[in-house]
Amino acid sequence: MAHKSSPVAGNGLLDRRFFLKAGAASSAALLSAAAYSSERPAWMRVPGAPMSESGAPSEHEAHLRRTAIGSQQGTTGAGASRTPLELLDGIITPSRLHFERHHSGIPAIDPDEHRLIIHGLVDRPLSFSLESLSRYQTVSRIQFLECSGNSGASIAPEPVQGSCSQIHGLVSASEWGGVPLSVLLQETGIKTKGKWIVAAGADAAMMSRSVPMDKVLDDAMVALYQNGERLRPANGYPMRLFLPGWEGNMSVKWLRTIKVVDQPAMTKDETSKYSDLQEDGVARLFTFPMGVKSVITSPSPGLQMSEAGIYQISGIAWTGVGKIRRVEVSADGGKSWADAALDEHVMSKCLTRFRSAWRWDGTSAVILSRATDEAGNVQPTRDAVLHGRSSSGFYHYNGIQAWRIGTDREVTNVYA
Amino acid sequence: MFTRSVVCIVVVAWFLLTAESSVADDNPNLGEVVSLADLSSLDLTIMPNGEGLPDGSGTAAAGATVYQENCLACHGAGGKDGLNDTLVGGHGSLSSDRPQKTVGSYWPYATTLFDYVRRAMPYQAPGSLSDDDVYAVTAYILYLNEIVGEDDRLDSNTLPDVRMPNRENFVWGYAPD
C-alpha cells in the first residue's frame, strides 16, 4: 500500500486520507506561523466582554460579507447578492450570508397580518396564519438552494476574473424547517384536474411561479425556519416555498397565495426569464432540477497561496437529484484525477464538502473538481454545457471550474 | 374570472365536498375558510387561456399615454434603449449570435404580459394602474411589436386569442409523471 504522502495523481495530488492520517501537524503547515510570545496578551489580563442577547461575528471577520451586490438600473431591490463561498468551510451557510435574489426588494411584512391562502382547484380554499402553521408538525431538511443563474458568468468567451463567490456565489445551504405543503393540500383537498400550483409572494412584484403537483406532493415545504431561527427577511420571512434541488426562483419567498390549477400559468419568470434558449432558436421551458456540480473554494481567486508545500484543496459539490456520490480532483489541468474525501455529512440535495491534499511545488498549476451524483450524472465540461446553447443561455450552468495557480501565487479563473 | 353564478355553484359544491370528504385526523386542521369573493383581488394569476382576466379593455392608442407616464423612464421610447428590459424588436434574432429576447421576439403568451404588468408594474408603484390601463399598455407594447393593430381592443375575450410570433419555439424540459 502506498504511503499516504505518495502522490495518487499528477502534479502532487496526495491520498485523500492524507490529512486524516497525518493529523494536526501537517494541517498547521497551512497556517502561517504566528509570532509566539511567552507574555500574557492583553486580552488575558482583563476580564472579557459580558454576555449579550444576540451574537455577532468577530470584528476581525468584518470582511466576511456578501459580494457582487447588484440591482437592475433604476432599482435598488431587483438584483442579487452572493455568498462568500471562499471564506466559508463546512456546508451550512450562515443565514446572514445566504445569497439573495429579489425582484422588487424585501417586503416589510407584519407576520400577524400575513396569510397563506390556498385556493383554485381545491375542495376547500383555506387561509393559514403563521401562528396556525406553527402548530403543525414541522420537518427539517439540510439542503441547498441555487439560483439557476448561478455561474452564468462562465458562458463568457473569456474567463471572467472574479472571486469564487462572484462567479458561483448564488448557492447556499441551510437547515430549513417547516410544514410539508402536501399536509396543507390534504386539508384543502385537491380536485382531480389540479395538476400544478401557481405560487406567488407578498413582495411588491408578487413574484409567481408554476410548480407541477408531483414535486409539490413529493418534497415541497412551506418553510418557516432557517438554521433554527425564523426565516431572515431576505429569505422570505415569515414563510417561503422551498423546493429541494430545483432552480431557486421557484422557491417563492414571502409566500402568500397558492392556486391549484390544471396547467402552468406561463408566468413572466418561467417563460421570458428562466427558460433555456438553444442556438437553433428553440427554448426549453421548465428545466427544473439543478445539475450535478462542484467548485473548489480553496484555493480560489483572491486567496493568495503562500510558499510551496502541502495544501488542502477544498470545495463544495451538489446535485438537484439526490446525493453526491463522488468528487474527483485534478492538479494537472485534468490529465489525471484522484478521488477527494467527502465530509461525513453527505445528504440529499445538499452541499457536500470535499477535501484533497496537494503538495504544491510552487510552479504554475491548474486545479479542477468533478462531481458525480448517485444517479450517475457526471459534471460536464464547459464545452459540453455550452454545446447547442444560445450565446445568451446562462441559466443552469454546471460546467467544471478550473483555477490556475501562478508562480506569483495568485489564483485566476481559466478555461481548461 | 368568477361570475356570480359560478361563485354560487362553487360555494354549493364546497359544502357538498366538505360534507363528504374528510381530512387526516393527525392534521391540526387550522386552515380558515376563505371567501371566494376575496380571491380575485388576492391572486392575480392569469392563465394562458385567459382565465382570471378582469373586466375592462384598452387599445394601443390609449396605451401610448399610459406608457409615457409610467413605463418610459425605465423602458425607453418605443420600448427600446431604456435603462431596463427592452420590450420591442429583436424579431428573428433568437438563433443568431446576438439573440434579443423581447416581449415581441420571445414571449410565448400575451396573457403573461397582462399578468406581469398588473402584478408588478410600474416598478415604483405596482398595483397603481387600473385594469383598463393594463389592457391599454399591453395593447401598446404588442402594437409596437406589430402584433396587434393600433385600434384593436384587448379585453378578456380578445387578449387570449393574440398569437405571439414565437409561440411555437418552446419545448418542455419537464415531463409530468
Side-chain angles (χ1 to χ4, degrees), chain A residues 187-358:
Chain A
E187 193 173 325
T188 63
I190 306 168
K191 292 192 185 296
T192 310
K193 287 176 67 181
K195 299 298 184 190
W196 292 70
I197 65 166
V198 183
D203 55 332
M206 295 177 72
M207 217 290 295
S208 65
R209 284 293 302 257
S210 307
V211 184
M213 191 60 81
D214 54 0
K215 176 66 173 177
V216 168
L217 298 181
D218 177 22
D219 61 1
M221 176 198 288
V222 177
L224 310 174
Y225 293 92
Q226 177 185 3
N227 296 332
E229 62 180 354
R230 292 285 191 190
L231 299 178
R232 294 287 173 107
N235 270 287
Y237 183 84
M239 59 187 73
R240 76 173 304 163
L241 188 58
F242 185 73
L243 301 173
W246 284 22
E247 59 184 23
N249 178 251
M250 305 178 74
S251 285
V252 174
K253 294 182 287 192
W254 315 294
L255 184 63
R256 179 168 177 259
T257 54
I258 287 176
K259 184 174 188 179
V260 178
V261 291
D262 60 350
Q263 58 181 302
M266 300 296 179
T267 72
K268 181 269 286 180
D269 280 86
E270 65 206 21
T271 55
S272 74
K273 296 296 179 186
Y274 296 91
S275 54
D276 303 328
L277 183 61
Q278 303 170 162
E279 62 184 357
D280 60 3
V282 173
R284 301 179 73 224
L285 294 173
F286 310 135
T287 51
F288 299 137
M290 299 308 294
V292 61
K293 187 167 174 180
S294 68
V295 62
I296 294 169
T297 54
S298 177
S300 68
L303 302 179
Q304 195 174 34
M305 306 287 283
S306 62
E307 72 280 1
I310 302 282
Y311 282 81
Q312 172 182 246
I313 293 176
S314 175
I316 48 175
W318 64 100
T319 171
V321 304
K323 292 181 181 176
I324 287 293
R325 189 173 74 197
R326 178 186 199 193
V327 180
E328 299 158 282
V329 167
S330 172
D332 57 8
K335 287 198 277 291
S336 65
W337 298 81
D339 280 324
L342 305 183
D343 273 7
E344 182 181 346
H345 310 290
V346 178
M347 290 176 280
S348 183
K349 302 170 187 175
C350 188
L351 299 184
T352 294
R353 174 65 60 174
F354 65 88
R355 305 174 196 276
S356 288
W358 179 40

Side-chain angles (χ1 to χ4, degrees), chain A residues 72-73 117 119 123-125 127 136 183 187 191 206 212 214 256 263 266 268 272-273 275 283 285 391, chain B residues 14 17-18 21 27 30-32 34 42-43 47 84-85 97 106-107 112 116 119 169-171 173-174:
Chain A
Q72 285 185 265
Q73 290 192 67
I117 291 167
H119 69 114
D123 299 330
R124 293 164 288 274
S127 161
Y136 286 72
V183 170
E187 193 173 325
K191 292 192 185 296
M206 295 177 72
D214 54 0
R256 179 168 177 259
Q263 58 181 302
M266 300 296 179
K268 181 269 286 180
S272 74
K273 296 296 179 186
S275 54
L285 294 173
S391 61
Chain B
W14 171 69
L17 283 160
T18 30
S21 60
N27 177 334
L30 299 173
E32 295 175 28
V34 182
L42 272 168
D43 191 326
M47 301 298 284
N84 249 301
D85 286 23
D97 290 343
Y106 194 62
W107 291 35
T112 306
Y116 181 62
R119 74 174 57 238
N169 289 320
F170 286 87
V171 295
Y174 168 80

Side-chain angles (χ1 to χ4, degrees), chain B residues 71-150:
Chain B
C71 319
L72 181 74
C74 290
H75 294 287
K80 295 179 179 179
D81 305 320
L83 293 172
N84 249 301
D85 286 23
T86 301
L87 307 176
V88 174
H91 297 266
S93 71
L94 296 180
S95 57
S96 75
D97 290 343
R98 288 174 170 261
Q100 200 185 1
K101 297 198 277 187
T102 73
V103 174
S105 71
Y106 194 62
W107 291 35
Y109 296 94
T111 46
T112 306
L113 183 56
F114 184 98
D115 175 296
Y116 181 62
V117 170
R118 189 166 67 145
R119 74 174 57 238
M121 290 289 122
Y123 185 82
Q124 302 295 353
S128 61
L129 298 180
S130 70
D131 290 337
D132 284 342
D133 285 347
V134 178
Y135 277 115
V137 80
T138 297
Y140 180 64
I141 294 165
L142 295 174
Y143 164 71
L144 291 173
N145 280 293
E146 301 177 11
I147 295 169
V148 302
E150 189 168 15

Side-chain angles (χ1 to χ4, degrees), chain A residues 354-365:
Chain A
F354 65 88
R355 305 174 196 276
S356 288
W358 179 40
R359 188 188 302 281
W360 182 47
D361 64 7
T363 64
S364 178

